[in-house]
């Protein structure tokens, strides 16, 4: 899951976009633990930031949850 988030951040950067929204993937019907999804996203954002820390550009990443998450 973290690799999916990392890839999305890299594509966002490559396209010179300034924001991206991530849904809580799999937490509904698949009942994937919300905290695991959140940790995967935070880890991906931290790794992306560390690799790209000298860039003057920034990306706003938003985490989108459902009403029951």
């Amino acid at each position: 899951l973290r690799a999916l988030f990392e890839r999305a951040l890299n594509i966002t950067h490559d396209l010179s976009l300034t924001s991206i929204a991530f849904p809580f993937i799999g937490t509904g019907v698949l009942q994937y633990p919300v905290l695991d999804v959140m940790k995967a996203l935070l880890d991906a954002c931290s790794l992306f930031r560390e690799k790209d820390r000298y860039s003057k550009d920034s990306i706003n990443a938003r985490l989108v949850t459902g009403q029951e998450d």
Side-chain angles (χ1 to χ4, degrees):
L1 192 54
R2 189 188 79 206
L4 175 77
F5 290 136
E6 285 181 65
R7 179 80 175 124
L9 287 165
N10 286 323
I11 290 171
T12 301
H13 181 265
D14 292 347
L15 294 174
S16 299
L17 300 174
T18 59
S19 65
I20 185 169
F22 292 102
F24 265 31
I25 297 170
T27 59
V29 174
L30 298 177
Q31 298 182 351
Y32 200 79
V34 172
L35 292 178
D36 290 348
V37 174
M38 188 181 308
K39 181 172 180 351
L41 178 57
L42 292 174
D43 288 348
C45 288
S46 293
L47 288 170
F48 178 80
R49 184 176 178 211
E50 188 65 29
K51 287 191 289 188
D52 202 41
R53 67 176 176 240
Y54 298 112
S55 174
K56 61 183 176 201
D57 302 324
S58 63
I59 296 174
N60 291 318
R62 297 180 187 263
L63 193 56
V64 181
T65 66
Q67 290 180 343
E68 296 179 18
D69 290 333

